Structure formats: structure tokens, C-alpha cells
Amino acid sequence: MTENIQVTKRQVKDALGIKDDSKDKAVEAWIPIVYDYLKGYVGWSDITVIKMIQYNMEHRPGISAESLSRHSINFLHSFPPSITNGLGRKL
């Protein structure tokens, strides 16, 4: 688990408008994962963390497209540019 976590479950829920406890376990699980992903980058903020948590909770992580006919899946190798544009260089 990553040390010095800044964003709390309450902050994520408030930012994403989550009113009940149904997503608490997912939020708690994603916080350290996202911080671990970002530890090698400079120039990110708590908003970046929250956006990455939201992205992972709303999408199937790693999948960019999926079709049912002849079952085809395209995989992402990272987060979309709308989230990562603010990241600085990787350390």
C-alpha cells in the first residue's frame, strides 16, 4: 500500500456525487492503486487521482472497445489523454 495517501474516500465520493455506500469498497480499493500508478510521474494533483478512480469505476479497466458480433476487444495500455494530459514526465 502506498504511503502518504492524500485523497480520502469521502473526498472521492463527494467529488463524484456518490451519496450511498454501495461503491465504498471500490473507491477504497482504487485509491492506493492509482497512487501507485502515479508515483513515477510529476505534475499530477488530487483531481487527477479522482478522475482516474472515476474512469476505472465507470469503465472496464484496460478495454477501449468491445463488440459482440465475432467478439472483438481492443485494449488500452494506459488512461485516456483526457486524464493524463496534465501529467508531467515519468521519473
Side-chain angles (χ1 to χ4, degrees):
M1 188 154 163
T2 305
E3 296 179 294
N4 300 322
I5 291 178
Q6 301 293 315
V7 172
T8 65
K9 176 179 68 174
R10 172 59 37 212
Q11 289 172 312
V12 172
K13 287 176 68 173
D14 289 347
L16 301 180
I18 300 171
K19 304 287 185 205
D20 61 18
D21 297 335
S22 65
K23 298 187 186 283
D24 281 7
K25 289 188 184 218
V27 170
E28 290 169 352
W30 279 114
I31 290 172
I33 292 168
V34 169
Y35 271 95
D36 191 54
Y37 176 85
L38 289 172
K39 72 182 176 186
Y41 289 90
V42 296
W44 54 271
S45 69
D46 290 348
I47 298 299
T48 307
V49 174
I50 292 169
K51 285 180 180 179
M52 287 182 166
I53 291 169
Q54 179 183 27
Y55 180 82
N56 281 305
M57 290 175 58
E58 292 178 355
H59 299 87
R60 292 178 59 191
I63 297 177
S64 65
E66 182 175 8
S67 63
L68 296 175
S69 177
R70 297 192 185 248
H71 193 72
S72 173
I73 300 175
N74 296 326
F75 292 93
L76 289 173
H77 298 287
S78 64
F79 289 94
S82 61
I83 295 174
T84 59
N85 280 344
L87 294 179
R89 64 180 171 79
K90 188 166 173 108
L91 299 174

